[in-house]
Amino acid sequence: MISNTRAAGSLDLLRMMLTIRKAEERLASDFKAGMLPGPVHLYIGQEAVATGVCAGLDDRDWITSTHRGHGHFLAKGGDPKAMFAEIYGRSTGICGGFGGSMHVADVSKGILGANGIVGGGVALATGAALAAQLDGENRVGVCFFGDGAAAQGVLGEALNIAALWKLPLILVCENNGFSEFSPSSNVIAGDIYRRAEPYGVPSVRIDGNDLDAVLEASETALDRARNGGGGTLIEALTYRIHGHVEGEQAFLKTPYRADEEIERWRGEDPIERYARRLVDQGEMASGKFAELEEDIGRMIRDAADSVADDPYPEIGNLERHRLGAE
Amino acid sequence: MISNTRAAGSLDLLRMMLTIRKAEERLASDFKAGMLPGPVHLYIGQEAVATGVCAGLDDRDWITSTHRGHGHFLAKGGDPKAMFAEIYGRSTGICGGFGGSMHVADVSKGILGANGIVGGGVALATGAALAAQLDGENRVGVCFFGDGAAAQGVLGEALNIAALWKLPLILVCENNGFSEFSPSSNVIAGDIYRRAEPYGVPSVRIDGNDLDAVLEASETALDRARNGGGGTLIEALTYRIHGHVEGEQAFLKTPYRADEEIERWRGEDPIERYARRLVDQGEMASGKFAELEEDIGRMIRDAADSVADDPYPEIGNLERHRLGAE
Amino acid sequence: MRKRMIHAINDALFEEMERDERVILIGEDVGASIFGDTRGLLDRFGPDRVRDTPISEAVMGGMAVGTAAAGYRVVCHLMYANFIYTAFDAIANQASRLRLMTNGQIRLPVVFMAAGGGGRSNAGQHSDYPHAPVASLGGIYVATPSCSADAKGLLKTAIRTDDPVFFLQPTSRGGEMGDIPEGDHTVPLVSAHVARQGDDVTIVAVGAMLRIATRAADALAEEGVSVEIVDPRTSYPLDEDVILASVRKTGRLVVVDEARAAGSVANHISALVCEKAFSALRAPIIPVTTPDLAVAYSPPLEKAMIPGPEDVVAAVQRLIKETGQ
Amino acid sequence: MRKRMIHAINDALFEEMERDERVILIGEDVGASIFGDTRGLLDRFGPDRVRDTPISEAVMGGMAVGTAAAGYRVVCHLMYANFIYTAFDAIANQASRLRLMTNGQIRLPVVFMAAGGGGRSNAGQHSDYPHAPVASLGGIYVATPSCSADAKGLLKTAIRTDDPVFFLQPTSRGGEMGDIPEGDHTVPLVSAHVARQGDDVTIVAVGAMLRIATRAADALAEEGVSVEIVDPRTSYPLDEDVILASVRKTGRLVVVDEARAAGSVANHISALVCEKAFSALRAPIIPVTTPDLAVAYSPPLEKAMIPGPEDVVAAVQRLIKETGQ
Ligand SMILES: Cc1ncc(C[n+]2csc(CCOP(=O)(O)OP(=O)(O)O)c2C)c(N)n1
Ligand SMILES: Cc1ncc(C[n+]2csc(CCOP(=O)(O)OP(=O)(O)O)c2C)c(N)n1
Ligand SMILES: [Mg+2]
Ligand SMILES: [Mg+2]
């Protein structure tokens, strides 16, 4: 697996974005094929955010994620195979098939889990940041959340506490312009990043499809957090190319966004932009990208295929999670 | 009773502040005398806020209040007798003895009630403001809340919705420096009034012990709200002269504020300040204040005495509030 | 008229909003309508009365209360039933008790509606059927429709009721077809319904469990066991008379509830019967519920957790065996 | 050693924070300590481990979960039990189920503590005894201490437990004295206790109701009725064996619970007994609870609502009369 460290090189970062992309493309086709038992929310188009932020983290840093959490899981070092198995509902899944797409977690990697409650990860990450502060080992807590989630009151509560206690908390808002089917402007007043200002928490808005911008903003935030400077709110502007949830066409009567809008954002693809930048600046040979795509495509295909027929969990396993069972 | 209208004259306003003060002094001595069955939180020192804000309201405007709600109740036109009877737990109480000090409400006066849940009134007032907007009759919803309550996430949620929908909502934060026994600075990061800024909701911080300042700020907010301009957050700096709750000395081991601080704030008494201003500017004869004090003192004494031995509610009344009972 | 449950709900909302202009609807994406139950309302009634809200359940819940206190009838759509937990302060500390605390000055015509229960691999945070925690508050009706007709009739009544109602539609049954009477079809809130007549054992089945119980009853009929099925329709308050009458007739009771055992009304029904129809009871009361866990994602796990016909059949067989027919 | 319950709780916190430096305490004014249960901890353990929080129950609840998931043992003091509703999303959607959803990767040593129940004219928003809604979640122990010794022993165990515990101390009993064993006194979480031996009828009494039941038993003894009292100590999960054994002995059961009927565990206990000890039952099971309303303020109303010894005596008399002694 690609491991994520501050020292990650450009190619590793590109590989990570491609890993996320290919994994999700696979999930999209799995969904169409009826292979997925539950709903999936894909991250396609937003890969630079998870990749850039997690580039500066290691296994001992904590993240919390969202219903759209595969990208965060992979970028933080989660195993694609174990993720596929989980989403297929198999016993070999990272959560034994108990959690599924909305709950992929790997605590050994510092991944406290995707979360099906919008805004649910905010308080968890605040708590993890408190633990990090108590540990005194310069860890951080990072919370990924959406623009829609910014309407949850818990965000203000977390900003207040983070400011008061100078918690090493990094709040990463992925503003993809939609909260389900509502455009942000219908449900979010003003600029999200500015919501940190009254608390005295530094904040910044960046182009979330520009991996370099994400790297820079998160490096600043991480330096601050690791050096006792407290929290940061990063608002990364991005876009989800797929629907809110796969299969949404089946139940939506009218489209909620224009095809041209989607096309325009395809032109801002974070992976292509970064690859182009690497080629332009001579950091990558021009044929390399196709090669990477193929390699990673194969790796993902193999990962998914290798677990697609794994056994379902034993029903007896349920008893393991009853109160009183050790 | 003093009725509250925008046209209220200076003397009426002074009378109202004195009414609140005398009522609460009576409650303080009732508490000492063991006459009050439950806890009471007194408003002494904060009278200018309720009085100034409610001066611009009429019965058809809505307010929500807090655990420290007697002042809001009286200023909005609630009947002192019915309030005393309620706090004494009598059947003649404004809520029939069901609610007590923390729940005094008079819907006919637009008082949706004091509230024992810190921050609980915020969403209720937002809803009332929505109703006001739907009515289209230029009513407003006003929410009184404390500095401590500003830490509740629901405030951010309300600001967001108020901004999006341009609700006629006036959020009045009475910053009395303490959240129970915690000084504001321990539990509130930054300036409360600024928390409205990122949402684009106008806000202002004022001297809450200066009735004129309160009148001015609330008039601005009311004009805005009544003319389709949306919400406002007013932060009124003030101080509670009494403890958080009567009788707190009995359970607190160490004082949480200095005597000098209390003395300093006594020097800023909103009633004395306003009376002095009226005298200085020739709006009131110099002997008038003592006379008012005495009149209102008597009125309150009579009101309280007249209900102190009223009957307790019939136990059978409980059945009236069961689901299914009309 | 045959309709899917989700369309029956949609009809109820249309009709009630048409009937009374003080009915308003708030909720996340009620315009787009994920489930289809609020579809078309925004177009018909406009953005004043049909309001897409931000993802802010805490303020939504309290706002519903405030708007209702100020004179409207509010339908607050909370999407998945787990999100009532996010709005729980307003539901529990405000909606359920303002009537008492104000001595009836405030009455709250509010319907909190949401889809609950499992069956679709929505996993642990989207599959609760949380009627018991809402019932625990004492001041809120809990409507648990099992079919299209009741969904429509109960919702229409709920909207006309002056106290809060939690309308808990079963996630797994939205697409199911059912007959609906023509016209202004309403169902009173506390009116359990004998869905099938029988003599040997009573099954009280809540919400989505009605179909499960019916299948079980069909299977049991082949074995010569005659099952009476009672659908409580509101799980709080319970229509005691109908339930007790059935148990007095059969002497045996199985309660089927999709909620966790500890969060079921099976307990409430058991307690009711054991207090008030004890002498009629010929056998233990058997609850059939989901185990005390969040619903797991993987289909075999989920299927094993949620009661199925075979679980109900087994419970009834146990009863019959223990007591003779 | 005799101590007030509130001091027993204070001792438990002191001892556990002393014993394990990974135990931390968060809550509003836990430094000043309104109830006295957290008094002195801030001085002794410092502001890193004892944190006064803003009034932000939503983030507090979730923060407790996050800090625990990241390796600490967290005591989250929520003051009055009604404020668990304000924190309910974190309790219900996160704390109760992360263990299952992560297949046990996350274990949560979190204690949510709060004071519940009436008796002090704290009125409708400060008097709930909400064990049933928490129990409904299935993933959280609910400890309901009735006396100083159990308060100390249960809290110490709760802090050492790797799953969440809701520690619900009775508001009306903080000042009551009780004997506490010396030393490291712990009480296992699912261990009901026979508080009084008797033959004719079992009373299961939860929390503050133990004293009420004891008074009733004294009065009944004078009439020649021998009462056995069981204190469940955790109202979720129930210690089934102890409760069932007592009912098998006496054949009669009254359950006394300060919660509303619809929010009581009286129902759960009834259901348990009616399923598993049916043949031993000689009479209906009578619940004695608060009516399904928020607690009213005025003292006579409040007193009438909350079960008292006379209510328990009446219930027992009814049973005896219906079945003969
Ligand atoms: C508490 C809660 N309310 C509502 C939902 C339903 N829901 C799921 S995703 C979503 C939109 C989230 O928007 P955003 O935070 O912008 O994330 P995105 O989907 O755009 O990544 C909503 C409303 C939920 N899961 N949890
Ligand atoms: C949800 C909730 N949490 C905690 C409390 C306990 N409590 C009552 S008053 C109070 C402090 C409120 O401070 P502030 O909002 O500043 O109002 P003030 O008392 O100063 O008027 C607290 C924490 C409560 N009543 N409700
Ligand atoms: Mg979004
Ligand atoms: Mg204050």
Side-chain angles (χ1 to χ4, degrees):
Chain A
M1 268 314 307
I2 300 157
S3 91
N4 297 283
T5 68
R6 182 170 287 221
S10 316
L11 279 191
D12 284 342
L13 295 170
L14 186 59
R15 272 193 200 99
M16 177 52 71
M17 292 199 287
L18 276 168
T19 302
I20 300 172
R21 174 70 53 93
K22 295 291 170 195
E24 295 232 313
E25 287 175 350
R26 168 66 185 242
L27 288 171
S29 73
D30 286 345
F31 182 87
K32 278 222 187 74
M35 271 179 66
L36 307 186
V40 279
H41 308 81
L42 299 186
Y43 193 67
I44 291 174
Q46 305 187 200
E47 295 88 346
V49 186
T51 303
V53 171
C54 292
L57 306 180
D58 69 27
D59 289 353
R60 292 161 47 82
D61 295 311
W62 302 106
I63 68 164
T64 64
S65 160
T66 68
H67 56 287
R68 199 176 302 290
H70 311 143
H72 311 129
F73 178 88
L74 293 171
K76 187 66 169 47
D79 175 32
K81 250 196 208 172
M83 185 183 91
F84 279 112
E86 184 62 30
I87 300 172
Y88 296 153
R90 309 293 159 154
S91 64
T92 46
I94 186 68
C95 299
F98 280 86
S101 163
M102 280 195 280
H103 305 296
V104 287
D106 184 347
V107 176
S108 72
K109 301 285 184 186
I111 305 164
L112 290 176
N115 212 303
I117 299 301
V118 169
V122 173
L124 268 51
T126 308
L130 172 57
Q133 185 181 62
L134 290 167
D135 289 342
E137 292 168 7
N138 304 324
R139 308 177 183 197
V140 300
V142 176
C143 171
F144 293 97
F145 64 104
D147 49 303
Q152 291 285 30
V154 72
L155 179 64
E157 299 189 4
L159 283 164
N160 190 44
I161 287 209
L164 290 164
W165 297 355
K166 279 215 170 295
L167 293 181
L169 175 67
I170 303 178
L171 295 160
V172 181
C173 180
E174 302 188 66
N175 184 346
N176 61 11
F178 289 91
S179 172
E180 279 186 4
F181 313 106
S182 294
S184 270
S185 55
N186 279 13
V187 289
I188 295 294
D191 295 331
I192 292 171
Y193 76 98
R194 291 205 46 214
R195 293 194 182 177
E197 289 174 3
Y199 302 91
V201 171
S203 66
V204 60
R205 170 181 277 175
I206 59 171
D207 177 350
N209 283 19
D210 174 356
L211 180 61
D212 294 304
V214 178
L215 287 166
E216 192 190 313
S218 51
E219 177 140 345
T220 307
L222 276 167
D223 281 346
R224 185 178 294 130
R226 296 204 199 278
N227 293 301
T232 304
L233 169 61
I234 298 172
E235 179 185 1
L237 299 179
T238 180
Y239 196 80
R240 61 166 163 72
I241 297 295
H242 278 232
H244 167 66
V245 63
E246 290 304 283
E248 68 189 26
Q249 312 82 306
F251 62 81
L252 288 177
K253 285 280 136 130
T254 42
Y256 58 97
R257 51 184 192 172
D259 288 344
E260 306 81 69
E261 180 180 288
I262 303 174
E263 277 321 302
R264 194 169 67 247
W265 278 96
R266 274 192 207 279
E268 297 294 329
D269 187 285
I271 301 180
E272 280 167 25
R273 276 173 67 181
Y274 192 65
R276 213 180 308 128
R277 210 274 278 151
L278 293 186
V279 172
D280 285 353
Q281 301 195 348
E283 294 186 39
M284 183 171 76
S286 67
K288 180 76 180 169
F289 183 66
E291 190 187 302
L292 281 179
E293 256 201 295
E294 200 178 307
D295 283 358
I296 292 171
R298 190 176 327 106
M299 184 270 279
I300 288 295
R301 200 176 327 115
D302 291 349
D305 289 346
S306 75
V307 297
D309 295 318
D310 278 1
Y312 281 115
E314 299 289 333
I315 285 157
N317 285 353
L318 283 166
E319 291 305 316
R320 285 209 248 149
H321 301 307
R322 292 243 200 197
L323 280 185
E326 278 323 296
Chain B
M1 265 317 304
I2 301 157
S3 91
N4 297 283
T5 68
R6 182 171 286 222
S10 316
L11 280 191
D12 284 343
L13 295 169
L14 187 59
R15 272 193 201 97
M16 178 49 72
M17 290 198 289
L18 276 168
T19 302
I20 300 172
R21 174 70 53 91
K22 295 292 170 194
E24 294 233 312
E25 287 175 350
R26 167 66 185 240
L27 288 171
S29 73
D30 287 344
F31 182 86
K32 278 223 188 74
M35 272 179 67
L36 306 186
V40 279
H41 307 81
L42 299 186
Y43 193 67
I44 291 175
Q46 306 186 199
E47 295 88 348
V49 186
T51 304
V53 171
C54 292
L57 306 180
D58 69 27
D59 290 353
R60 292 163 47 82
D61 294 312
W62 302 105
I63 68 163
T64 65
S65 162
T66 69
H67 56 287
R68 201 176 301 290
H70 312 143
H72 311 127
F73 178 87
L74 294 171
K76 187 68 170 43
D79 175 31
K81 249 196 211 173
M83 184 182 92
F84 279 112
E86 184 62 30
I87 301 172
Y88 297 154
R90 308 295 158 153
S91 64
T92 47
I94 187 69
C95 299
F98 280 86
S101 164
M102 281 195 281
H103 304 296
V104 287
D106 183 347
V107 175
S108 72
K109 301 286 183 185
I111 305 164
L112 290 177
N115 211 303
I117 298 302
V118 169
V122 173
L124 268 52
T126 309
L130 171 58
Q133 184 180 64
L134 290 167
D135 289 342
E137 292 168 7
N138 303 323
R139 307 180 184 196
V140 300
V142 176
C143 171
F144 293 98
F145 64 104
D147 49 302
Q152 291 286 32
V154 71
L155 179 63
E157 298 188 5
L159 283 164
N160 190 46
I161 287 208
L164 290 165
W165 297 355
K166 278 216 170 294
L167 293 181
L169 174 66
I170 303 178
L171 295 160
V172 181
C173 180
E174 301 189 67
N175 184 345
N176 61 10
F178 289 90
S179 172
E180 277 186 6
F181 313 106
S182 295
S184 271
S185 55
N186 279 13
V187 289
I188 295 294
D191 295 332
I192 291 170
Y193 75 98
R194 291 204 48 214
R195 293 192 181 178
E197 290 174 2
Y199 303 93
V201 171
S203 66
V204 60
R205 170 181 277 176
I206 60 170
D207 177 351
N209 283 20
D210 175 355
L211 180 61
D212 294 305
V214 178
L215 288 166
E216 192 190 314
S218 50
E219 178 140 347
T220 307
L222 276 166
D223 281 347
R224 184 177 294 130
R226 297 203 199 279
N227 293 301
T232 304
L233 169 61
I234 298 172
E235 179 184 1
L237 299 179
T238 182
Y239 196 78
R240 62 165 160 73
I241 297 295
H242 278 232
H244 166 66
V245 63
E246 290 305 280
E248 69 189 25
Q249 313 81 311
F251 62 80
L252 288 176
K253 284 280 141 139
T254 43
Y256 58 96
R257 51 185 190 170
D259 289 343
E260 305 82 67
E261 181 180 289
I262 303 175
E263 276 322 301
R264 195 168 65 245
W265 278 96
R266 274 191 207 279
E268 298 293 330
D269 189 283
I271 302 180
E272 280 168 26
R273 276 173 67 180
Y274 191 64
R276 213 179 308 129
R277 210 271 282 150
L278 293 186
V279 172
D280 286 354
Q281 301 196 346
E283 294 186 40
M284 182 172 76
S286 68
K288 181 76 179 169
F289 184 65
E291 188 188 304
L292 282 179
E293 255 201 296
E294 202 179 304
D295 284 358
I296 291 171
R298 190 175 328 106
M299 183 269 280
I300 288 295
R301 200 176 328 116
D302 292 349
D305 289 346
S306 75
V307 298
D309 296 316
D310 277 0
Y312 283 115
E314 299 289 332
I315 285 157
N317 285 353
L318 283 166
E319 293 305 316
R320 286 208 248 149
H321 301 308
R322 292 243 199 196
L323 280 186
E326 278 322 297
Chain C
M1 185 179 37
R2 279 183 78 70
K3 288 229 170 183
R4 295 190 195 285
M5 188 187 294
I6 210 71
H7 296 141
I9 294 172
N10 190 240
D11 286 353
L13 292 168
F14 258 97
E15 291 175 20
E16 292 306 302
M17 293 193 75
E18 200 75 71
R19 181 174 176 273
D20 181 349
E21 65 176 24
R22 297 189 84 75
V23 176
I24 68 162
L25 169 68
I26 63 176
E28 294 155 20
D29 277 320
V30 287
S33 191
I34 285 226
F35 301 141
D37 47 0
T38 60
R39 188 163 298 144
L41 295 162
L42 176 59
D43 280 350
R44 173 68 189 79
F45 299 104
D48 263 0
R49 292 179 62 200
V50 179
R51 297 203 174 218
D52 278 343
T53 60
I55 311 177
S56 304
E57 286 85 5
V59 87
M60 274 165 66
M63 201 163 55
V65 170
T67 309
Y72 289 79
R73 313 190 80 84
V74 185
V75 180
C76 176
H77 198 306
L78 288 165
M79 202 182 303
Y80 282 101
N82 282 64
F83 312 156
I84 68 154
Y85 301 143
T86 320
F88 211 65
D89 179 52
I91 295 173
N93 277 321
Q94 311 293 344
S96 76
R97 60 194 73 199
L98 283 181
R99 174 175 174 181
L100 175 128
M101 293 189 314
T102 64
N103 197 23
Q105 292 182 72
I106 293 180
R107 295 294 295 271
L108 294 171
V110 177
V111 180
F112 297 106
M113 61 187 288
R120 310 189 141 215
S121 279
N122 283 327
Q125 290 172 332
H126 288 73
S127 305
D128 275 16
Y129 193 77
H131 50 165
V134 176
S136 82
L137 304 169
I140 304 185
Y141 291 95
V142 181
T144 49
S146 64
C147 63
S148 300
D150 287 356
K152 179 169 182 186
L154 288 168
L155 182 52
K156 283 171 69 87
T157 306
I159 293 171
R160 297 182 199 178
T161 297
D162 283 341
D163 290 307
V165 180
F166 177 35
F167 180 85
L168 182 53
Q169 53 195 87
T171 304
S172 57
R173 296 283 184 269
E176 228 165 75
M177 300 292 286
D179 283 319
I180 304 176
E182 300 290 328
D184 184 30
H185 172 62
T186 60
V187 174
L189 283 176
V190 183
S191 64
H193 165 66
V194 178
R196 178 188 186 116
Q197 306 264 0
D199 299 309
D200 297 330
V201 57
T202 298
I203 299 181
V204 177
V206 181
M209 295 298 104
L210 183 70
R211 191 168 74 167
I212 302 300
T214 304
R215 290 209 187 142
D218 288 343
L220 287 160
E222 303 202 349
E223 297 177 20
V225 180
S226 161
V227 169
E228 176 145 312
I229 300 180
V230 177
D231 175 353
R233 296 211 279 213
T234 43
S235 67
Y236 183 80
L238 290 168
D239 181 347
E240 301 195 349
D241 294 343
V242 172
I243 295 170
L244 293 171
S246 178
V247 176
R248 288 199 183 104
K249 180 167 100 177
T250 64
R252 297 191 188 90
L253 177 60
V254 168
V255 188
V256 194
D257 185 344
E258 179 174 11
R260 274 182 287 283
S264 71
V265 295
N267 293 324
H268 301 231
I269 293 168
S270 242
L272 166 72
V273 169
C274 204
E275 182 187 2
K276 299 192 179 162
F278 178 74
S279 59
L281 270 182
R282 293 195 280 153
I285 299 175
I286 313 285
V288 180
T289 65
T290 292
D292 280 355
L293 294 166
V295 174
Y297 169 76
S298 183
L301 294 177
E302 184 177 38
K303 186 158 181 306
M305 297 181 85
I306 299 172
E310 57 299 345
D311 302 309
V312 179
V313 168
V316 171
Q317 283 168 337
R318 181 179 143 198
L319 276 194
I320 301 288
K321 200 163 133 200
E322 283 185 24
T323 51
Q325 194 152 340
Chain D
M1 184 176 37
R2 279 183 79 69
K3 289 229 169 184
R4 295 189 195 285
M5 188 188 293
I6 211 73
H7 296 141
I9 294 172
N10 191 240
D11 287 353
L13 291 168
F14 258 98
E15 292 175 19
E16 293 306 301
M17 292 193 75
E18 200 75 71
R19 181 173 176 274
D20 181 350
E21 64 176 25
R22 296 189 85 76
V23 176
I24 68 162
L25 169 68
I26 63 176
E28 294 156 21
D29 277 321
V30 287
S33 191
I34 285 225
F35 301 142
D37 49 359
T38 60
R39 188 164 297 144
L41 295 163
L42 176 58
D43 281 351
R44 172 69 190 80
F45 300 104
D48 263 1
R49 291 180 61 199
V50 178
R51 299 205 174 215
D52 277 343
T53 60
I55 312 176
S56 304
E57 286 85 6
V59 86
M60 274 166 65
M63 201 164 54
V65 171
T67 309
Y72 288 80
R73 312 190 82 82
V74 186
V75 180
C76 176
H77 198 307
L78 288 165
M79 201 181 305
Y80 282 101
N82 281 66
F83 311 155
I84 67 155
Y85 301 142
T86 320
F88 211 65
D89 178 52
I91 294 173
N93 277 321
Q94 311 293 343
S96 76
R97 59 195 73 200
L98 283 182
R99 174 175 173 181
L100 174 129
M101 292 189 314
T102 64
N103 196 23
Q105 292 183 69
I106 293 181
R107 294 295 294 270
L108 293 171
V110 177
V111 180
F112 297 105
M113 61 188 289
R120 311 189 141 216
S121 279
N122 283 328
Q125 290 172 332
H126 288 74
S127 305
D128 275 15
Y129 193 77
H131 50 165
V134 176
S136 82
L137 304 169
I140 303 186
Y141 291 95
V142 181
T144 50
S146 64
C147 63
S148 299
D150 287 355
K152 178 169 182 184
L154 288 168
L155 182 53
K156 284 172 68 85
T157 306
I159 293 171
R160 298 181 198 177
T161 298
D162 283 340
D163 289 307
V165 180
F166 177 34
F167 180 84
L168 182 53
Q169 50 194 92
T171 303
S172 57
R173 296 284 186 266
E176 228 165 75
M177 300 292 287
D179 284 319
I180 305 176
E182 301 290 328
D184 184 30
H185 173 61
T186 60
V187 174
L189 283 176
V190 184
S191 64
H193 165 66
V194 178
R196 178 187 186 119
Q197 305 265 359
D199 298 311
D200 297 329
V201 57
T202 298
I203 299 181
V204 176
V206 180
M209 295 297 104
L210 183 69
R211 192 167 74 166
I212 302 300
T214 304
R215 290 208 187 141
D218 288 344
L220 287 160
E222 303 202 349
E223 298 177 21
V225 180
S226 162
V227 169
E228 176 145 311
I229 301 180
V230 177
D231 175 353
R233 296 211 280 214
T234 42
S235 67
Y236 184 79
L238 291 168
D239 182 347
E240 303 195 348
D241 294 343
V242 171
I243 295 170
L244 293 172
S246 178
V247 176
R248 288 198 181 105
K249 181 166 99 176
T250 64
R252 296 189 188 91
L253 177 60
V254 168
V255 188
V256 193
D257 186 344
E258 179 174 10
R260 274 181 288 280
S264 72
V265 296
N267 294 323
H268 301 230
I269 293 168
S270 243
L272 166 71
V273 170
C274 203
E275 181 186 2
K276 298 193 179 162
F278 177 75
S279 59
L281 271 181
R282 292 194 282 152
I285 299 174
I286 314 286
V288 181
T289 65
T290 293
D292 281 355
L293 294 167
V295 174
Y297 169 76
S298 182
L301 294 177
E302 184 177 38
K303 187 159 182 305
M305 298 182 84
I306 299 173
E310 58 296 347
D311 301 309
V312 179
V313 168
V316 171
Q317 283 168 339
R318 179 180 146 198
L319 275 195
I320 300 288
K321 199 164 133 200
E322 283 185 25
T323 51
Q325 194 151 338

